[in-house]
Amino acid sequence: MQMEQLVALCKRRGFLFQSSEIYGGLNGFWDYGPLGVELKRNIREAWWRDMVTSHNELVCPPEAPSPYEMVGLDAAIIMHPQVWKCSGHYDQFHDLMQSCKYCKKLFRADQVGDMLRESEWVLSLAEAIGFQLEDSRVLARADALHRWLKGKGKKFAPGLAAVQQLEQADGGAQSTSQLAEQSCSPWELLARLSSSDQGGNGLRLPCPNCGGSLTEPREFNLMFETYVGAVRDEQSKTFLRPETAQGIFVNFKNVLDSTRVKIPFGIAQIGKSFRNEITPRYFTFRSREFEQMEIEFFCHPSTSPAWYRYWRDRRYQWYVDLGLAGDRLRLRDHGPEELSHYSCGTADIEYAFPFLPPGQFGELEGVAHRGDFDLRSHMEGKLARQNGGFVLERTPTGEPKYRGSGKDLTYYDDQTQERYIPHVIEPSAGADRAALAFLCEAYAEDEVPDEKGQPTRRVVLRLHPRLAPIKVAVLPLVKKEGMPEVAQEIYGELKRHFSSFYDEKGAIGRRYRRQDEVGTPFCITIDGQTLVDGTVTIRDRDSLRQWRIKKDECAAELRGRLGF
Ligand code: GAP
C-alpha cells in the first residue's frame, strides 16, 4: 500500500483533515472527521473496556502474578509547574535541534540522516553520479559531479557549499575535481560537498532541504509554555502536559484515600498531551497534539520484574487481538543506552508503518519499568542518577535543585505491616498512532464481482469490527415499491444498538463499495423478497458471503457476529 492512497482516503471519506486547513494548515495538528472520530473513540473504548471496566479483580488473569485492581482518572492538562520540575521534564525533556544557515529550516539532529535518505537533492545526486547511501565507498567522476552541481544541484540544493563555490568565477572546477578524486563513504561525500572546507575537517551532514550547512546541535525543550492568569511572568508560567502520566502520580495518594484499592493496582487515564516536536511528520505519527492511553501500575518492588513482563506481553497481545499482523508488529526490548532517565527497563511495541524505510519500525507503545522514580521525585524533589541509583539533585550550595511536595507518597501494607514506595510499571500507548497503525493494516485493494458478475476493483478497510466506525449499513435495493420504508424501520431499530448508516442513493454495487472503503463489516439489503417473506440479505465485507435472515432478527444476528 502506498501511504498517499491512505492519506487520500482519510481525507476523501472524512477520517482525518489537516487542522486549520482553510488557512493553509498548522503543521503537526490534525482534526478527526466524522468517521475518524468514531474510529478513535472505538480504540479508546476498546482500551478502556479491556484494561479497566471489564477487568475482574477477583480472578487472576492468565500469566498475571496475582489478581489486581484497575481504576480510572481524568487529570487536568495544565498542572502546577513544580510537577514538571520534579518529574525531570523541565530540565531534561529535550531534543537536539539543528537549523540550516541557508534556508533556516529546523531539524531534529537524530533525524537528519533519515531525512537525507529521502531528500530530493540527495536522490538526484546519487542518480547522477551512481551510488546508494548504503554503499561503503563511492568515487565520484569529476565530470558527472561538475554537471550535477551546475544543473540539478543548483536547482535543488542551492545551499550546498560546492554549488556556491562553483558559482564563483575561480576555483570551482578545481575543488570539484579535488572532491571527486578521493574515494570516500557516500555520507562523507555529502558532508564534504556541504562544507567550505572540503578537505574534510570538522565535517557535518548537510541540510536535507537545500544542502546548506547546519548549526551545531542545541537543546530544545519540547514542552509548550503557557501562562495562568492575567500576568505573564515567570511566576505564572506553566506548561501543557507532555504526558498524562504525571497526573496519575500526583493523584496516587488521593486514589488510595478515596477508594479501597490495594497494591497491586493500576490507574488508567486517556487524554491529550502536547509536545512542540521539531519536525512533526509521517501524517499523524509525530504530531504536536496527540492522545495518550496510559496506565501506571503500582506494585511491590519484589514483584515488579514479573509485572513488567506481564504488562509487556498483555499489551502486545491487545494489538494482535485487534488485528495487527505478526510480522509487522514486534516487541523490542531497549538496550541500556536507550533507557529514559527514569527507566530501569523498557520494551517498545512497534509497527512497520508503510511510510518508514523497509525493515524499520515505529513505536506504538512503550512499556516501562519506572521503579520508584516518580513517587520519590514528587515526595523529595528532582532526582539524579548516581552509581546505578537515584539521589536528590542538589545545587552547588547543597540545596535541593527542585523541592518535592513533601507529602508522604509511601504505601502501607496492613497485612505485612510493611511501608514502602511502590514500584511502577507503565504501559503508555498513543491513541493516534494506534489509529494510524490500524488504518495502515486494514487498507487493501482487491477485485470483487459487480452486479453483472464482472470483476471490479475495490478499496476495503478490513478493520476489526470493534474498531469499524460503522458496524452496519442498511440499504434498500431500489428507492421504490415500499423498500425504503421497511429499510428505515430496520435502520431505526439497529441504530439503537450499533453505529448504523442508511443509504438509498445509487446502484447497490456502488453502495457496497462505499461501505467497504470505510470498513463497515456488514450490509443489510432490503429487496423484493423482503416484501414477500420478511427476510433480508446480510453481506459480509471480507468474505463477500451473503445470506438471508428474518428482518426482525437483524440485531440479534449482528450481536452474535460482532461479539458485543
Ligand atoms: N509517559 C511515558 C511517555 O509519554 P513516550 O514514549 O514519550 O512515553 C508514549 O510516549 C506514547 O505516546 C508513544 O508510544 C506514542 O504512541 C505516543 N506519542 C508520543 N509522542 C507522540 C507524538 N509526537 N505524536 C503522536 N503520538 C506520540
Side-chain angles (χ1 to χ4, degrees):
M1 189 256 304
Q2 297 295 314
M3 202 54 205
E4 297 78 51
Q5 295 165 303
L6 180 65
V7 174
L9 170 75
C10 285
K11 166 101 204 267
R12 188 172 71 247
R13 297 306 309 272
F15 280 91
L16 274 156
F17 308 125
Q18 193 175 11
S19 160
S20 323
E21 195 185 77
I22 61 168
Y23 289 105
L26 188 61
N27 201 8
F29 297 90
W30 295 92
D31 297 339
Y32 285 79
L35 290 183
V37 81
E38 292 294 333
L39 170 66
K40 206 160 105 174
R41 201 170 59 85
N42 292 341
I43 292 171
R44 283 196 301 260
E45 279 181 3
W47 185 88
W48 193 263
R49 189 160 235 291
D50 296 346
M51 297 301 126
V52 186
T53 47
S54 67
H55 169 73
N56 181 347
E57 71 279 8
L58 303 178
V59 178
C60 184
E63 318 298 337
S66 69
Y68 61 91
E69 297 196 51
M70 291 295 299
V71 293
L73 184 82
D74 186 9
I77 285 173
I78 295 177
M79 294 192 272
H80 195 291
Q82 203 65 9
V83 170
W84 306 112
K85 291 183 175 158
C86 291
S87 70
H89 287 82
Y90 187 76
D91 286 345
Q92 279 158 289
F93 199 52
H94 291 123
D95 273 344
L96 287 176
M97 175 187 82
Q98 292 179 281
S99 60
C100 173
K101 294 180 190 163
Y102 188 83
C103 70
K104 311 292 179 213
K105 278 202 182 285
L106 298 177
F107 300 94
R108 235 173 80 169
D110 64 341
Q111 287 174 355
V112 170
D114 278 350
M115 294 178 98
L116 281 167
R117 285 177 200 282
E118 298 163 15
S119 146
E120 197 174 19
W121 73 262
V122 175
L123 294 174
S124 133
L125 172 69
E127 192 188 329
I129 62 176
F131 69 85
Q132 295 189 346
L133 284 172
E134 284 65 40
D135 294 345
S136 56
R137 309 215 52 87
V138 40
L139 180 67
R141 284 195 348 261
D143 54 341
L145 181 57
H146 198 81
R147 259 199 313 280
W148 183 83
L149 290 171
K150 287 191 80 171
K152 290 198 171 147
K154 190 171 160 194
K155 183 170 163 211
F156 295 129
L160 202 60
V163 168
Q164 288 170 2
Q165 282 172 10
L166 213 62
E167 294 281 279
Q168 294 161 7
D170 55 346
Q174 196 192 337
S175 57
T176 311
S177 58
Q178 208 182 352
L179 269 167
E181 265 160 27
Q182 306 155 10
S183 121
C184 59
S185 81
W187 294 100
E188 211 175 323
L189 176 69
L190 295 185
R192 283 188 193 173
L193 285 169
S194 74
S195 164
S196 46
D197 164 20
Q198 291 173 353
N201 295 327
L203 290 177
R204 209 177 292 144
L205 288 179
C207 166
N209 179 51
C210 75
S213 61
L214 296 177
T215 57
E216 284 281 351
R218 53 184 193 277
E219 285 183 345
F220 170 79
N221 194 297
L222 298 179
M223 286 196 293
F224 279 101
E225 291 176 3
T226 189
Y227 296 87
V228 175
V231 182
R232 294 185 161 239
D233 59 11
E234 271 306 300
Q235 265 66 51
S236 64
K237 187 160 94 185
T238 183
F239 307 92
L240 302 192
R241 68 180 175 202
E243 62 171 20
T244 57
Q246 297 304 321
I248 299 180
F249 294 124
V250 299
N251 277 295
F252 170 71
K253 205 72 181 171
N254 282 337
V255 173
L256 267 188
D257 292 347
S258 59
T259 65
R260 289 161 61 190
V261 286
K262 291 206 178 316
I263 273 180
F265 73 93
I267 305 180
Q269 175 168 216
I270 298 179
K272 291 268 181 143
S273 292
F274 302 82
R275 297 182 190 176
N276 197 1
E277 298 283 357
I278 298 163
T279 43
R281 61 185 190 143
Y282 295 143
F283 205 16
T284 58
F285 181 81
R286 190 175 305 287
S287 307
R288 288 178 165 142
E289 174 179 338
F290 54 95
E291 205 155 1
Q292 291 188 309
M293 307 185 293
E294 297 200 296
I295 296 169
E296 305 304 327
F297 189 80
F298 301 92
C299 57
H300 189 278
S302 65
T303 57
S304 61
W307 282 113
Y308 170 61
R309 287 192 296 276
Y310 167 74
W311 278 109
R312 233 183 35 164
D313 298 345
R314 168 112 205 258
R315 291 300 307 143
Y316 176 82
Q317 192 58 40
W318 187 78
Y319 293 99
V320 173
D321 293 346
L322 287 173
L324 294 193
D327 57 345
R328 280 189 289 273
L329 186 72
R330 74 175 185 193
L331 190 60
R332 187 182 64 81
D333 287 310
H334 280 207
E337 70 296 342
E338 264 186 284
L339 294 180
S340 320
H341 59 280
Y342 52 76
S343 180
C344 27
T346 298
D348 282 347
I349 300 169
E350 300 179 327
Y351 181 72
F353 286 97
F355 44 75
L356 297 173
Q360 275 195 26
F361 286 69
E363 180 186 328
L364 271 181
E365 170 162 351
V367 182
H369 185 314
R370 295 176 75 120
D372 63 4
F373 179 86
D374 303 275
L375 290 178
R376 257 188 77 194
S377 305
H378 290 304
M379 276 197 291
E380 300 170 14
K382 183 174 182 252
L383 303 176
R385 249 185 215 286
Q386 199 179 79
N387 302 331
F390 290 101
V391 293
L392 191 63
E393 191 170 332
R394 294 185 184 275
T395 63
T397 58
E399 289 294 301
K401 183 159 186 205
Y402 302 119
R403 285 181 192 283
S405 65
K407 299 281 186 294
D408 177 10
L409 302 181
T410 58
Y411 177 82
Y412 182 70
D413 185 327
D414 45 17
Q415 280 195 329
T416 61
Q417 299 186 345
E418 186 187 1
R419 182 170 289 284
Y420 59 92
I421 308 175
H423 275 201
V424 171
I425 311 300
E426 176 194 69
S428 169
D432 308 87
R433 284 201 190 164
L436 188 56
F438 287 128
L439 281 169
C440 290
E441 186 71 22
Y443 186 98
E445 290 182 21
D446 62 10
E447 259 179 16
V448 294
D450 68 8
E451 296 97 286
K452 296 182 189 124
Q454 296 301 313
T456 178
R457 303 264 326 141
R458 73 163 177 171
V459 170
V460 54
L461 281 187
R462 297 190 202 281
L463 287 168
H464 190 285
R466 284 181 81 186
L467 303 182
I470 302 169
K471 310 297 183 209
V472 58
V474 182
L475 318 169
L477 186 62
V478 289
K479 214 169 135 187
K480 53 189 180 192
E481 295 163 20
M483 290 183 210
E485 288 74 12
V486 180
Q488 282 162 18
E489 200 182 305
I490 295 171
Y491 169 68
E493 170 60 18
L494 290 180
K495 212 168 159 53
R496 294 172 48 219
H497 307 279
F498 313 99
S499 157
S500 313
F501 187 79
Y502 177 79
D503 187 8
E504 56 180 31
K505 290 193 206 87
I508 188 72
R510 183 115 49 85
R511 279 183 275 160
Y512 282 149
R513 284 193 293 282
R514 276 184 66 76
Q515 291 307 314
D516 292 342
E517 198 180 46
V518 298
T520 307
F522 296 104
C523 289
I524 287 177
T525 311
I526 290 78
D527 54 17
Q529 201 176 323
T530 313
L531 307 176
V532 177
D533 64 7
T535 63
V536 295
T537 302
I538 179 159
R539 170 190 182 267
D540 178 291
R541 173 196 72 197
D542 297 335
S543 67
L544 299 175
R545 199 166 75 80
Q546 299 197 13
W547 65 102
R548 295 197 80 89
I549 54 170
K550 293 212 178 85
K551 70 179 164 76
D552 305 336
E553 291 171 2
C554 290
E557 175 82 12
L558 285 170
R559 197 167 294 117
R561 297 201 171 260
L562 292 166
F564 51 88

